[in-house]
Amino acid sequence: MIALYFKKMVIQQKLLIMQLLLVSSAMLFVFVLTVVYQYISYKQELMDSLNSQISVVEGNIGSAIAFDDKATATEILATLSLNPSIDQAYVELQNGVKFSSYQSRNTHIVASSSEKHYVNQAGIEMIKPIMDNGRKLGVLHVDANFLAVNQRIKVFVLALLGAVALAMLLARTIAAKLNHVITEPIIYLEQLVTNITKKHNYTQRSTINSTDEIGALSLGINNMLDNIKSRDDKLVEELKQRVVIEKRLDQLAYYDSVTDLPNRHAFTKNINQLLGFNQQDQSHFYLLMLDLDFFKAVNDTHGHEVGDELLKQCGLRLRRMLSEEDAVFRIGGDEFAIILKAVKTTRDVEKICQRIISVVSQKFVIKLHEILIGTSIGVAQYLPGGCSESGLIKNADMAMYWAKSAGKNTYKFYSEEIEEVNFYRQKLAMDLQNALINNELVLHYQPIVEVTTENIIGFEALLRWAHSTEGYISPNVFIPIAEQSGLIVQMGDWVIESALKQLKSWQNAHEPALFVNINMSAKQFYDKRIVDSIKKAIQKNRVDPSTVNFELTESIMMEDVDKAIAIMQLLKQMGTGIAVDDFGTGHSSMRYLKQFPIDTIKIDKCFVNGLPADNVDTAIVEAIFALAESLKFDVVAEGVETLQQFEFLKNKPCAKVQGYYFSKPLPVGLIEKLLNQNKVLQ
Ligand code: C2E
Ligand code: CA
Ligand code: CA
């Protein structure tokens, strides 16, 4: 209990108690020792004085006894009164008779001579034989008390107690001083350390600078604090650097370096978070997938630096027009994704899509180049409990492809219908694999007529798919599917081979100058085997290459300008002709038009439609003819359906026409009939 209490005490109290205990036990020891020693000395002093007095008395009293002079003897004994400690004395002769005695006035002897009891204190009896010339005359008895000794020892004890008390007081004062010197700095250091530990403020320092052990302890603590401080500073610096590095890594991992927008990684993370969040939240959001139209052409035409800057500015325009709550990501080359969280209705999303299209379609000026692009947007809505992240992205993507194929620079919402059509397209994609093997593909030919003579001078080979259950399927439907699956290359080879074979047979039977135009798709054109397969087909069928033309759309040519020029030049070297299909609808630049080795441009049906009534169409067609004339191109007007259209085109130089007005695309048998009649069907 006491030990526990002691343990709980502060060091100052502990030290004081220890010091006082130490001092008091030492004092007690010294006190007892001194008192005992003093008592013994007093007694010894008394004994010495008694002895000397007794010797004096014994030396003088012998003659008094010898002369039986009692009065002298009594007088001699009375000299003992000088010593107040002597109570009584008497001389006993040899025969036992008391010769003389002395009695102190202070004595209170109550007992007989044989048995003495002192009222106050114990005493001592001293016996000394009285000799005279070697003869024993009697014995001198002296009884003394210790009253004086006791009295003196009492005074001594009192004085000593006073001294002890003073010493204790002094010890207490010194201890307090000592405590002040030792414990206060210790307490100060303890408080300093506690304070530092609590507040983690390692800038504080001990101000003790004594040269003793406490000074050394203070110095040690300060050194330790210096070390901690420098380590702390280092740690803070390291942490700062780590934050910077983490930020940088985060930037690299989650942000696109070109546009500074969050990247695909951030996009999937964000979508997943939203899906997880929305399971509880029961709210919905919209996902917009954007694909820039004609971006590739810009990249090819103006270079990657301009392309990157275009993406950057495009990202900036998107970011600026959206609210803070909505998120924009760059998820691929020219693909952006937008998550609309704040929008509530489909009507609002439509408005945003229209604004996006308008914002992206506005002219960009980059390094003095004026650039016009567009964007196709696919929209998918997420409803609580709806599809997964990949499902949502797939839906928006699907809608985006629809928007693209619906003529670009437009938006489409994902719908059941899209899903169904997509499903249908997937089915067709599988069926298409067998179409070639099962001879379900067939070529129809549409005559191309010379306006001046109205004679058939050539044909455009147009592919048909006679599906076993679906009937005839339009090339507009299955060509993009074949493009996507890659089957177009094989299919294209078949078209080239079949068309050349057919051409050779017609050239043999009718007119050797008859030519054939073969359509080519992007994947097929850019396939590394294309030039070889054409060469082989020409050689195999022994056709004059100058009677074979390949139709390429502007967008195919602009996809990879340099590569396109290289392939076209190889085809030209072979002797074949090249026609630009659907001219005016694509995104070609006049600058490049001159560089491409083109022979013919085919004016798209959409411009021919309005002839001759529509002023704009008329102006465009006139302009195309003027351009063709200056660049020495032949011109084929497509989709001529009426006499009026034909009449308009009749007067144009180098003009050829193609359209329902003369003939629809026809199977081989019907074309042969036409050739036999050497006139077109009306
Ligand atoms: P295209 O190359 O522009 O072919 C012309 C399209 O216009 C043909 O449609 C043709 O039937 C149609 N057409 C021609 N004259 C008229 C007219 O007076 N009025 C109307 N309304 N239409 C007319 P078709 O045969 O359905 O072909 C569609 C597209 O499929 C072609 O457009 C071409 O891009 C592609 N295609 C056809 N055959 C092939 C092929 O063998 N290979 C490749 N890669 N694409 C092909
Ligand atoms: Ca064509
Ligand atoms: Ca065309």
Side-chain angles (χ1 to χ4, degrees), residues 571-590:
L571 294 179
K572 286 297 300 172
Q573 281 164 20
M574 218 187 289
T576 61
I578 289 162
V580 186
D581 204 358
D582 306 340
F583 186 77
T585 60
H587 201 256
S588 62
S589 102
M590 285 299 158

Side-chain angles (χ1 to χ4, degrees), residues 233-293:
D233 288 350
K234 239 190 229 166
L235 214 71
V236 169
E237 194 49 43
E238 265 176 35
L239 276 176
K240 264 189 208 163
Q241 278 178 0
R242 197 178 298 174
V243 169
V244 171
I245 291 168
E246 271 170 12
K247 249 190 178 171
R248 182 84 193 100
L249 286 177
D250 199 62
Q251 183 77 20
L252 283 175
Y254 290 104
Y255 286 84
D256 165 50
S257 56
V258 175
T259 59
D260 278 340
L261 289 175
N263 61 13
R264 178 176 279 278
H265 200 140
F267 169 65
T268 36
K269 197 176 164 192
N270 209 296
I271 286 265
N272 277 323
Q273 270 173 358
L274 272 177
L275 292 194
F277 181 66
N278 275 284
Q279 302 231 309
Q280 293 119 40
D281 192 50
Q282 298 295 300
S283 66
H284 68 276
F285 64 89
Y286 289 90
L287 170 64
L288 274 59
M289 294 296 240
L290 277 73
D291 192 283
L292 300 185
D293 300 327

Side-chain angles (χ1 to χ4, degrees), residues 460 462 519 551 581-582 602 638:
E460 177 176 0
L462 293 158
N519 289 288
E551 294 191 6
D581 204 358
D582 306 340
K602 294 186 79 177
E638 287 187 295

